[in-house]
Amino acid sequence: MTHARDGAEGDAWRHWEKGNQVAKSLPVSYVHPSTVFGRANVDFHGVSVHTDLMKAQQALGLADQIDPEVMPSVERKARLWVEVARGHLQRGDRTAALMVMQIAYDTGRETVRFTPSARAVAADLWRKAPRALRPQAAVLAENVGVSVAS
């Protein structure tokens, strides 16, 4: 993830692939009790790598293949939705981003409130949502703890 955030695509995917190989060697439903490492977590990180590399279309395509119900924790499920919202935001689709962020918030309120990327999406939506959706964007921003004072 650090490499993806730094724009080092080759390194990001090389490290992701190592995790992917380990996940493939484990039973499909395996989830490590303290790290939540397993197939679903590796898939989630693939979405995050694409999103951090600003490859929204690939991120959204991969996310479409993931069943959120198999995510190993509420935190990971909410973060998956945040990554999907980030992908929509990168494509300029603030309507979709807002709808997905509302799902993320409903899924894991604390996760969304304390994840910097989620807070950034909420702030962007509050500032730039389509006029008809500004009331919902303001409620989301307020719920997430993003200052909406003028």
Side-chain angles (χ1 to χ4, degrees), residues 4 16 20 25-26 29 34 45 47-48 53 84 98 101 106 113 127 129 138 140:
W16 179 87
N20 188 42
S25 73
L26 300 169
S29 61
S34 61
H45 279 83
V47 175
S48 295
L53 291 170
V84 171
L98 177 58
M101 277 300 291
D106 291 342
R113 286 185 62 86
R127 287 190 308 272
L140 176 68

Side-chain angles (χ1 to χ4, degrees), residues 27 30 40 43 46 51 58 76 81 94 105 108 110 122 126 132 134:
Y30 175 82
D43 291 343
T51 306
Q58 291 93 327
R76 292 301 159 126
W81 289 119
R94 286 183 171 78
Y105 182 76
E110 286 188 2
W126 174 70
R134 286 184 187 159

Side-chain angles (χ1 to χ4, degrees), residues 40 43-48 50-51 55-71 77 79-85 87-88 91 93 96 100 103:
D43 291 343
F44 156 73
H45 279 83
V47 175
S48 295
H50 279 305
T51 306
K55 298 189 178 227
Q57 199 63 37
Q58 291 93 327
L60 294 173
L62 183 55
D64 282 349
Q65 303 304 311
I66 298 173
D67 177 0
E69 296 308 312
V70 301
M71 295 309 293
K77 188 185 300 188
R79 285 191 52 207
L80 172 64
W81 289 119
V82 169
E83 294 303 308
V84 171
H88 285 298
R91 291 182 8 183
D93 189 346
V100 174
I103 294 169

